Amino acid sequence: MNSDRYDYLDGNAAAGELSKIFAMDVTAAEGQCGHCGATKRFAEAHVYMQGPGVVARCAICEHVLVRFVDVGRRLFLDARGLTCLSLDISQLREASR
Ligand SMILES: [Zn+2]
């Protein structure tokens, strides 16, 4: 698929869909691209929402970072394009004290 043919949004556009999977805001998380090694906030990813699911691509090399699709009773997440996802949980820890 040639991603140049589709308009993309920034990673913030995926916040609603991602909230179905993660209890915290993942758009602020840092992810490392499994292809080029760039580490960026998820909000900077290029998000394509024209298909049946959501595809997030690296802002540097356009490698697929994350795919997820909601098929009603199940939600599928494919994050193998990420080497690492780093989430700041300091606020969660402070809230539980
Ligand atoms: Zn990349």
Side-chain angles (χ1 to χ4, degrees), residues 32-38 57-63 65 81:
Q32 183 177 34
C33 175
H35 182 70
C36 74
R57 291 180 174 267
C58 175
I60 303 298
C61 73
E62 288 291 322
H63 178 73
L65 300 172

Side-chain angles (χ1 to χ4, degrees), residues 26-78:
V26 177
T27 60
E30 287 186 342
Q32 183 177 34
C33 175
H35 182 70
C36 74
T39 299
K40 294 195 142 301
R41 288 185 329 117
F42 188 84
E44 297 177 73
H46 295 174
V47 173
Y48 298 85
M49 302 178 81
Q50 292 89 353
V54 174
V55 177
R57 291 180 174 267
C58 175
I60 303 298
C61 73
E62 288 291 322
H63 178 73
V64 174
L65 300 172
V66 175
R67 291 180 265 235
F68 49 97
V69 62
D70 181 343
V71 294
R73 294 179 57 139
R74 290 202 169 268
L75 198 147
F76 294 89
L77 170 68
D78 173 357

